[in-house]
Amino acid sequence: MSDYEGSYDDNEDVVQQYRVPRTKWLRKSYHQQLKNVHVPSALATTALDFDVEETDSHFHESIQRWREISVKPSFISFASRVESMSRSFALLLHNWKAIVELWIQVVKVCEEEALTPLLDMLQNLAHDLRTTLLSSYPALLAAVLDILPSTNIQPTTADPSSSTQPPKSARPLPTPNTIKTLLTTLSSLFRYILLPNAKQLLRPSWLLVKQTMLSVVRRKGAGMSGEEIERTLAEVWGGFVMRKLKGKEVQREAVDLLVDACVEQHEGVTWIWVSAIQAPNGTIHPSSKTLLSHLVERYLVEGNEEVVAGVVVLWRRILTAAINWTTSAKSFDNISELMLEVYKREVGKDEEIDSNERIARVWKILAFACSAKKGSRMQIKQISSVISLTSSLSTLSSSPSSFSPPQLNSLTHFACAALLAGDMTTWNGPARHLTQILFSSFPLLALRLSAILSDLGWAGWNLVIAPQVGKVIVPLLKTALDGEETSSSNALGLVSYLVKKGSLADVSESARNDVAGWARERLDVEGGKWSLDRGVDVCNLSLISSLATWIPVDSLVPSIVSIIQHVLDTFPTKEAAKSDFDSRSTNAALVLSVCFTTLGQDHKGKKKGATPFETLAGSETQSWWMKAVMENWAWSSDVLDGYCAFVESCLPSSLNIPLATAFEHLRSSLLSPYQPLRLATFRYLLLPCITRAPAQNRLLRKLQSIEQVSIDFEGFKERVNKISTLLTDTPQGDRDFDLASTWLLSQLK
């Protein structure tokens, strides 16, 4: 290869390297473009950073600079008229009122392309004159905000949040670049005029900004993106006003204004707080601790419940944003230390009036801080301090009745979050002490907390909770004897849940016997302790039956047998049973299903081959039950399934019923369009006590296998194939046309 050819290839490689890649042009909507609009950083270099001559002004230089760029008639007319009035700083200072009035007039009617130079000139004017513009500041602020696609703003000191007038001008939507320049102009007005006169201008300025944010969000139209414009205004107010306010009184007033508006403008207020506490490098700004301390104080003393709920949501959003910015507990210290200081102060005031409510409100904030990111934004020593402070609350031990149910809910959420965020060092000390106090003062709350921690798989459950939970179960269940029926039912539900989770496996045998004695007392039908007419008794029966595998077997069987006999005596006919089923949810069919299923379970202490049926009065009772279920309860799939589970767990009996007799009573159930009822019917007909010929047994099992195929898109093909080959694959001697035709008729339904 020649040198020329090699050089040609090299040149081609260079061309390929610098060739601009061809990309497909993608159109972005107005909403998508506004997502990238933010307030320019205060560190960005602008024309205001360069010095001008001593007799000149930045405003005059901006006129000369923009006259070389903009050719719009509105701007050219304005520049021509004000240039002679601002040739020197002395002339500008003399003619500033006329210039401001002319600027306000022009900006209302100018073209879209003229807005950017006019707004930039106002920035320079504010930089040059600063507080000299104080008297015209409301009109200038209203004129700038009126550029946005919202209701026209008028300077006022009244709260304009209820204004719903339609826009008076037909100005087109400003471009994203225009909105960006507008945000810079607002930051200049706030920096040079508002902040030096915050006591005088803070409230009227906020009312104008608030009204604009409301109007922008409420206005509907093609291409409108009010939420994004609201967000940009919030960034200006949060980053250039809230963060830079000086003086506790002014900061407290600014926080109060935001709290008052958090219910109506929760999205905008959230963006303001997020912008105020976020540093330019994405961490927590140093001034955020002072601002949030004022927010905490207002939150703790607020008396309006609606505002309190709004502030709780606001706190959750602020903490969510801050936790997502930060990457470690150290970078979150500004907020975590503030919450710890506030909690220490409130715990020290636990003897004061309304201290419980204030502490409960702090619990809501701490619960979220400890639970987010699995508590990784809180240091272990801080979590230990929080748990220790909670244990030191004297009111938890001395006056537990002073806490209201909502306050106890807050305590539950906080305790759960704090315990999950801790480690082994926390479990052995503060956590154990706190749970001991809760189990002694609030046993039901502690039991609920135990269930939550068990469900979440807390590693410290066996170390901290397990030794104490068995001591409160029996006292809580027996509170019903003192008239607290709801408390007993809640405790029973929690105990049932813990049994299903296997968390009570280490509870002592004496405690289980005590629970069995309580259950036997509650299920006493003859003594009037249990009644089918009381819905709570039926619910308790269902919960107690779930404890059958945890308590001794001989404790429940006599009571359940008496309940079954009571129900069968109360509803001797099918019509009475169906009428009861239609009239209430806690019906007799549900009771029979629970009782039969409980008798069929593998109870604690039950030996293989043993049966609780041995406690009954022999075959007469068996025959009576089977006849009653077959004649009066065959319409209920739950009763049939429960009874089949019971019979299948019993030893073989001498009771025999012909298939023809059982089929006559269950024919209507087999014709039912309800698949679970048909499956329960087949299960009943296949019981050992039903006498069948071998051919009938084979046909029943084949029909049962077909019925078990799901009735959906995945199973319909298999179901149809099995039905179509039912008779052809069945030997002549095995065909029972009455049984098969009855089932086939049900498939047509």
Side-chain angles (χ1 to χ4, degrees):
M1 183 181 291
S2 64
D3 296 339
Y4 175 80
E5 291 177 347
S7 61
Y8 178 80
D9 292 340
D10 293 341
N11 292 336
E12 187 176 3
D13 292 340
V14 172
V15 171
Q16 291 292 339
Q17 179 180 358
Y18 290 98
R19 178 174 293 171
V20 178
R22 297 181 63 184
T23 58
K24 185 177 180 180
W25 181 77
L26 298 177
R27 179 187 176 277
K28 289 186 177 181
S29 65
Y30 187 68
H31 178 79
Q32 293 172 330
Q33 296 179 53
L34 287 183
K35 282 184 174 295
N36 297 323
V37 175
H38 300 278
V39 184
S41 173
L43 303 177
T45 303
T46 63
L48 299 177
D49 297 325
F50 300 98
D51 295 332
V52 296
E53 296 182 5
E54 186 176 352
T55 58
D56 203 355
S57 63
H58 287 87
F59 178 74
H60 185 256
E61 285 206 351
S62 66
I63 295 176
Q64 296 177 343
R65 184 174 66 255
W66 280 106
R67 292 193 73 167
E68 298 176 359
I69 303 174
S70 179
V71 294
K72 290 301 175 181
S74 300
F75 168 74
I76 294 176
S77 174
F78 173 77
S80 301
R81 297 178 62 179
V82 301
E83 185 175 11
S84 60
M85 294 188 290
S86 59
R87 292 187 182 277
S88 66
F89 191 82
L91 285 173
L92 177 64
L93 192 60
H94 179 72
N95 299 312
W96 71 268
K97 288 187 178 180
I99 294 174
V100 168
E101 292 177 359
L102 183 60
W103 186 92
I104 293 174
Q105 294 175 5
V106 172
V107 81
K108 290 181 178 179
V109 297
C110 69
E111 303 87 351
E112 167 68 22
E113 291 78 2
L115 286 174
T116 298
L118 289 173
L119 290 171
D120 181 74
M121 292 169 63
L122 181 58
Q123 299 174 32
N124 290 270
L125 184 64
H127 177 271
D128 291 334
L129 301 182
R130 308 204 175 201
T131 55
T132 305
L133 300 174
L134 182 60
S135 59
S136 300
Y137 168 78
L140 287 171
L141 180 60
V144 173
L145 294 176
D146 194 30
I147 296 174
L148 296 173
S150 61
T151 305
N152 283 16
I153 309 300
Q154 299 297 331
T156 178
T157 57
D159 186 355
S161 61
S162 60
S163 174
T164 57
Q165 298 178 356
K168 299 178 181 179
S169 61
R171 185 192 298 277
L173 295 175
T175 63
N177 289 332
T178 301
I179 294 181
K180 190 174 182 179
T181 307
L182 184 145
L183 299 178
T184 308
T185 304
L186 285 176
S187 64
S188 298
L189 291 176
F190 294 153
R191 176 182 179 183
Y192 299 124
I193 306 176
L194 170 59
L195 292 178
N197 304 275
K199 292 184 179 180
Q200 176 183 353
L201 299 178
L202 181 63
R203 180 176 290 273
S205 299
W206 165 245
L207 294 179
L208 286 172
V209 173
K210 175 185 173 183
Q211 180 186 9
T212 305
M213 294 169 67
L214 280 172
S215 301
V216 165
V217 174
R218 289 174 179 174
R219 178 177 174 180
K220 306 295 181 182
M224 254 314 272
S225 183
E227 293 78 8
E228 289 298 324
I229 298 178
E230 180 188 33
R231 188 255 313 158
T232 59
L233 289 176
E235 288 183 3
V236 177
W237 189 264
F240 288 87
V241 178
M242 294 295 298
R243 187 187 299 170
K244 298 183 179 181
L245 287 173
K246 305 297 181 183
K248 292 185 178 180
E249 294 183 2
V250 178
Q251 290 177 340
R252 187 175 291 107
E253 182 183 4
V255 171
D256 290 340
L257 291 174
L258 293 180
V259 171
D260 294 336
C262 70
V263 176
E264 185 179 14
Q265 290 179 268
H266 52 90
E267 295 289 345
V269 172
T270 301
W271 277 113
I272 290 174
W273 277 103
V274 169
S275 304
I277 68 174
Q278 184 180 21
N281 60 353
T283 59
I284 307 299
H285 196 273
S287 65
S288 61
K289 186 174 182 179
T290 304
L291 291 173
L292 291 175
S293 64
H294 295 304
L295 180 60
V296 170
E297 291 300 326
R298 173 63 188 273
Y299 167 60
L300 295 180
V301 301
E302 180 60 46
N304 190 334
E305 292 299 327
E306 185 179 6
V307 176
V308 171
V311 177
V312 170
V313 175
L314 177 62
W315 263 111
R316 291 176 64 90
R317 293 180 172 182
I318 292 173
L319 293 176
T320 299
I323 288 171
N324 288 328
W325 296 331
T326 55
T327 57
S328 63
K330 185 177 180 181
S331 56
F332 194 70
D333 266 348
N334 278 345
I335 298 179
S336 58
E337 288 296 335
L338 169 64
M339 292 189 291
L340 189 57
E341 292 172 5
V342 172
Y343 193 42
K344 286 181 180 178
R345 185 176 67 248
E346 295 303 323
V347 169
K349 301 177 182 178
D350 62 337
E351 299 295 339
E352 297 182 2
I353 300 176
D354 296 335
S355 63
N356 290 350
E357 177 61 26
R358 293 168 63 91
I359 291 175
R361 293 183 182 183
V362 180
W363 283 337
K364 292 181 180 180
I365 303 176
L366 285 172
F368 186 76
C370 292
S371 61
K373 297 284 186 180
K374 298 182 179 180
S376 61
R377 298 302 182 266
M378 299 283 288
Q379 299 182 23
I380 295 298
K381 63 178 182 180
Q382 293 174 337
I383 295 173
S384 299
S385 299
V386 165
I387 297 177
S388 300
L389 287 170
T390 308
S391 304
S392 64
L393 275 171
S394 60
T395 51
L396 288 179
S397 303
S398 59
S399 56
S401 59
S402 62
F403 288 90
S404 63
Q407 295 169 357
L408 293 180
N409 287 337
S410 301
L411 175 59
T412 304
H413 297 159
F414 160 71
C416 179
L419 292 176
L420 289 171
D423 60 0
M424 183 70 72
T425 58
T426 307
W427 304 341
N428 288 328
R432 188 187 298 274
H433 188 204
L434 175 61
T435 54
Q436 288 174 352
I437 294 176
L438 294 180
F439 272 103
S440 60
S441 301
F442 309 97
L444 184 59
L445 181 148
L447 191 61
R448 184 181 298 112
L449 178 64
S450 303
I452 295 173
L453 294 175
S454 175
D455 184 57
L456 296 176
W458 183 45
W461 204 95
N462 292 329
L463 179 66
V464 179
I465 302 296
Q468 307 178 64
V469 67
K471 302 176 183 178
V472 301
I473 291 178
V474 177
L476 280 175
L477 294 177
K478 290 185 176 180
T479 53
L481 302 178
D482 300 329
E484 300 181 18
E485 192 73 33
T486 304
S487 175
S488 175
S489 299
N490 293 338
L492 179 59
L494 294 172
V495 173
S496 173
Y497 178 80
L498 290 173
V499 169
K500 292 177 181 177
K501 294 286 291 185
S503 301
L504 300 182
D506 297 331
V507 175
S508 64
E509 196 69 27
S510 61
R512 301 188 188 196
N513 291 331
D514 291 340
V515 174
W518 171 86
R520 194 163 45 247
E521 183 180 0
R522 290 305 307 269
L523 299 181
D524 184 9
V525 179
E526 297 177 358
K529 297 295 184 63
W530 189 92
S531 174
L532 184 61
D533 296 329
R534 291 194 295 266
V536 65
D537 287 349
V538 178
C539 295
N540 287 343
L541 170 64
S542 178
L543 295 174
I544 291 174
S545 66
S546 64
L547 306 181
T549 58
W550 183 68
I551 58 180
V553 61
D554 57 351
S555 59
L556 290 182
V557 172
S559 300
I560 291 179
V561 168
S562 63
I563 291 177
I564 293 176
Q565 293 174 343
H566 171 71
V567 172
L568 295 181
D569 288 337
T570 306
F571 302 98
T573 62
K574 180 189 295 187
E575 291 73 17
K578 280 191 173 183
S579 176
D580 175 74
F581 179 82
D582 296 335
S583 61
R584 54 184 174 181
S585 57
T586 55
N587 48 72
L590 174 63
V591 172
L592 285 179
S593 173
V594 171
C595 291
F596 284 135
T597 304
T598 304
L599 291 178
Q601 290 179 348
D602 292 330
H603 301 274
K604 185 181 185 311
K606 176 182 176 181
K607 299 179 181 179
K608 186 176 182 180
T611 171
F613 216 37
E614 296 170 355
T615 60
L616 301 181
S619 59
E620 293 183 1
T621 304
Q622 299 182 39
S623 176
W624 174 42
W625 284 13
M626 191 166 195
K627 181 180 179 182
V629 170
M630 185 172 56
E631 295 179 355
N632 302 333
W633 302 91
W635 50 268
S636 173
S637 60
D638 295 332
V639 175
L640 288 179
D641 278 329
Y643 181 76
C644 291
F646 159 65
V647 173
E648 289 167 357
S649 68
C650 297
L651 294 174
S653 65
S654 59
L655 181 64
N656 293 316
I657 298 179
L659 176 64
T661 304
F663 178 65
E664 286 302 319
H665 290 290
L666 273 68
R667 182 187 295 271
S668 60
S669 300
L670 198 59
L671 284 169
S672 172
Y674 186 49
Q675 185 188 24
L677 180 56
R678 298 197 301 270
L679 283 172
T681 303
F682 281 123
R683 186 179 180 185
Y684 186 92
L685 293 176
L686 288 169
L687 287 176
C689 55
I690 304 294
T691 57
R692 304 174 298 274
Q696 293 174 327
N697 188 63
R698 288 192 294 268
L699 180 60
L700 281 173
R701 295 196 180 278
K702 182 172 291 188
L703 293 176
Q704 185 186 40
S705 66
I706 299 175
E707 191 63 73
Q708 289 173 346
V709 179
S710 60
I711 307 178
D712 53 18
F713 182 78
E714 296 180 356
F716 85 95
K717 186 175 181 180
E718 178 184 0
R719 193 179 183 91
V720 170
N721 290 336
K722 286 188 174 183
I723 293 175
S724 61
T725 60
L726 174 63
L727 295 180
T728 58
D729 293 349
T730 303
Q732 184 70 25
D734 291 359
R735 297 180 183 180
D736 188 329
F737 288 101
D738 191 16
L739 179 61
S741 61
T742 302
W743 179 79
L744 287 173
L745 285 175
S746 68
Q747 304 305 300
L748 299 178
K749 298 182 179 181

